[in-house]
Amino acid sequence: MSSISFEVAFRGDTHRVSLPSDDTVASLCARLEELTQVPPSAQKLLFRGKKIGASQEGVTLTQAGLRDGIRVQMLGSTTQELDALHSTESEHHKKERILRERALKPQIKARLMILTPFFFSFRHADYRFHKLEPLGHLPEPSSALARLSKLANDPAIQHIMQQHKFSVGLLTELAPHESPGLLGLNVGSGQAIKLRIRTDAYDGFRPYLEVRRVFCHELAHNVWGEHDNNFKELNSRLNREVAEFEAAQAHGTHYLVDVRGTYQPSSNEEGEAFVRVLGGNSTLPSDSIEDRRRRALEAATSRLKKQEEELEQSCGTTKPPSAT
């Protein structure tokens, strides 16, 4: 059996190859892989205007046109180079995927973050609402549950519950026709808090901020039963901390909690005060940021004091059981 000897040039090196003339091109490519570390699938063999490769299955060297003394030029990438290329491509695809995912997310404007002690405090799992339950025999229980959930997930409420280590076993509602005259009731110092969230005619729900204010009142009964000075001091403190929390958000101080949509001014006086804080439209150019914030808090506190006097008349916590 005759053999064929020829030269294969690759990247400045010349390899002398000698194979039987009836060997296939695939056999030649396998031999070249041993010499150059270029896999057969990546090899391109050029000679006398022809191009051959491992894809030419069953074609012998003679049939491919190879002869003794011919010089073949080989092109191709080594296995190591291909692995590096694939790794680079994978990293590139990964970056493209991350960029695409980022592009699909809603854009959030960067704002100055002022870290507060609340952010660093340990958020205990027990200081929360353990159960939410609307009254199933009343209309639209799912809507009532949504109202209770809004209160339970209110960042300002979560803040004061963590700060004072408050826990509420059950948050539920009061039926207007079953408890006329009552807006809230605390049972067992926080075992259950019941709130009147519906209108008298059952055709809707009471304003959220009013319900939340009643809740703060009832939450103070977790510690104090009677409406004495101790109770009033704690109740005022809870309302003040809620106002401060939301004023800090309006002012740009973040507690690193999502509080969007929480603050809703419920009086012209308080609303005007917060407009000054947010928009900087104060009639006193020399006012400092703290002055504007203080006025907003004073307006809210003044309003809350008046409303608290009315809430005490509608609180069932300190009344005899027959009143509920």
Side-chain angles (χ1 to χ4, degrees), residues 144-204:
L145 178 60
R147 286 277 170 161
L148 297 175
S149 298
K150 180 178 180 179
L151 180 63
N153 293 313
D154 189 320
I157 294 301
Q158 292 177 345
H159 172 62
I160 62 173
M161 291 183 69
Q162 292 289 325
Q163 290 289 84
H164 296 273
K165 300 181 179 180
F166 285 149
S167 176
V168 175
L170 170 66
L171 180 64
T172 185
E173 58 175 318
L174 285 171
H177 73 282
E178 296 173 358
S179 305
L182 294 187
L183 295 178
L185 177 65
N186 186 321
V187 180
S189 299
Q191 293 181 14
I193 289 183
K194 303 180 180 183
L195 302 173
R196 186 171 175 178
I197 62 176
R198 300 174 184 268
T199 60
D200 292 346
Y202 292 96
D203 55 357

Side-chain angles (χ1 to χ4, degrees), residues 30 42 67 69 84 86 102 111 117 142 157 179 214 223 229 239 257:
R67 301 287 184 270
H86 292 156
R102 288 178 178 174
R111 296 183 65 182
S142 60
I157 294 301
S179 305
V214 174
V223 180
N229 289 334
N239 281 286
V257 178

Side-chain angles (χ1 to χ4, degrees), residues 106-113 254 260:
Q107 298 298 313
I108 301 176
K109 293 182 179 179
R111 296 183 65 182
L112 175 64
M113 294 289 187
H254 288 211
R260 291 173 294 176

Side-chain angles (χ1 to χ4, degrees), residues 22-30 32 40-47 49-66 72:
D22 59 352
D23 259 9
T24 62
V25 174
S27 298
L28 170 60
C29 290
L32 291 175
S41 61
Q43 295 176 16
K44 292 182 180 180
L45 304 178
L46 308 176
F47 64 97
K50 295 182 180 181
K51 181 175 71 174
I52 61 175
S55 61
Q56 294 175 296
E57 298 181 3
V59 178
T60 67
L61 301 180
T62 301
Q63 291 171 339
L66 292 170
V72 178

Side-chain angles (χ1 to χ4, degrees), residues 30 41 55 62 77 118 133 135-136 167 220 236 244 269 294 304:
S41 61
S55 61
T62 301
S77 300
F118 172 67
E133 188 175 282
L135 296 180
S167 176
S236 295
E244 287 175 347
E269 178 184 19
R294 175 182 52 78
L304 289 172

Side-chain angles (χ1 to χ4, degrees), residues 14 17 19 49 59 77 86 90 93 96-97 134 144 156 170 192 194-195 217 228 236 241 255 269 272-273 278 301 303:
T14 300
V17 179
L19 294 171
V59 178
S77 300
H86 292 156
S90 297
H93 292 155
E96 284 189 337
R97 176 179 56 80
L170 170 66
K194 303 180 180 183
L195 302 173
H217 179 103
D228 55 14
S236 295
E241 289 176 357
Y255 287 88
E269 178 184 19
E272 180 183 354
L278 290 169
T301 302
R303 177 178 54 81

Side-chain angles (χ1 to χ4, degrees), residues 188-232:
S189 299
Q191 293 181 14
I193 289 183
K194 303 180 180 183
L195 302 173
R196 186 171 175 178
I197 62 176
R198 300 174 184 268
T199 60
D200 292 346
Y202 292 96
D203 55 357
F205 294 90
R206 298 180 60 241
Y208 173 71
L209 290 184
E210 292 183 10
V211 174
R212 188 178 69 170
R213 194 159 47 245
V214 174
F215 172 77
C216 289
H217 179 103
E218 297 303 330
L219 195 60
H221 281 304
N222 276 25
V223 180
W224 306 106
E226 298 296 326
H227 292 137
D228 55 14
N229 289 334
N230 290 323
F231 171 87
K232 292 180 180 179

